[in-house]
Amino acid sequence: MKKLLAGAVLGVATLSVATVSLAQMKTEDAIKFRQAGYAFMSWNMGKIKAQVVDGAVPYNKDQIVAAANVIAAVANSGMGALYPAGSDKGSGFHETKVKPEFFQNMPEVGKLAGNFNTAANELAAAAATGDQGAIKAAFGKVGESCKACHDQFRAK
Amino acid sequence: MKKLLAGAVLGVATLSVATVSLAQMKTEDAIKFRQAGYAFMSWNMGKIKAQVVDGAVPYNKDQIVAAANVIAAVANSGMGALYPAGSDKGSGFHETKVKPEFFQNMPEVGKLAGNFNTAANELAAAAATGDQGAIKAAFGKVGESCKACHDQFRAK
């Protein structure tokens, strides 16, 4: 757990360094990759919701562990590097929805990203226990951390 | 490691079950999510290539562990469920490039998917050791397993 949290912090702390070292990445590629990360997480969030929250699909521990591991791995991947300066506009798989305010509030972004990373790692830890109540609670916190950023920094 | 490999096998073995339970997923969503998974892996493959293969960016163990963990987590996520019948045509983020032959050769697809999962989990294990030679070798095997499927089942 300590290792996971260290990774989470890294994702935020290395934002500026990664942005510099990846300065050659095209803006549209950065936007495409970040959209890919969010879309792939949403598929895996959907699996957890269907099995553990809604009960629409029978609970399968291995599938939920795998889904939570995806969300944690994506959260820990240093996606800050996919928000280079100038990427407040542009199209990856589709036009970006990020608000310009995102790039003017990096301390707030870092705080929200840290909350998301913590929640994602706690979801992975809960999934590994197989305790559906704990998974449901941790899933809720991940959802809240997503929403907190969307509300502030994603256009409707 | 044994646990990781069990997860890898699961991804293939549960293909038909997952396809049934997700029968309500729209074809375009299935295509979008699989394209997202491949795109997000490609960003992370690129980081490993830049740091460990090309040496274009200084090696950072934590970043490479995080990148390899993404690739393994995506590989273990049961993406077979994202290839429902009828998804040989359609558009997610863009028109699918999968060949119809993919859906007519499930034993071969399963074999290639298993090879990819094994290689991805071995890459994650190598990344955790910090042995750049081992990471480079494991990265090469992942690349080969990607190419094996692309050569057979992805349109140019």
Side-chain angles (χ1 to χ4, degrees), chain B residues 61-137:
Chain B
K61 183 181 172 184
D62 289 332
Q63 290 180 2
I64 296 305
V65 167
N69 284 349
V70 164
I71 295 161
V74 175
N76 293 330
S77 69
M79 289 181 74
L82 298 176
Y83 288 87
S87 67
D88 57 324
K89 288 194 174 22
S91 187
F93 283 126
H94 54 78
E95 197 68 25
T96 185
K97 290 182 184 172
V98 74
K99 292 182 182 174
E101 289 84 343
F102 178 99
F103 298 87
Q104 296 147 13
N105 289 279
M106 278 299 164
E108 176 69 6
V109 168
K111 194 188 80 179
L112 294 175
N115 291 345
F116 166 58
N117 285 11
T118 300
N121 288 322
E122 288 178 355
L123 175 59
T129 69
D131 176 341
Q132 292 187 59
I135 298 168
K136 188 174 174 179

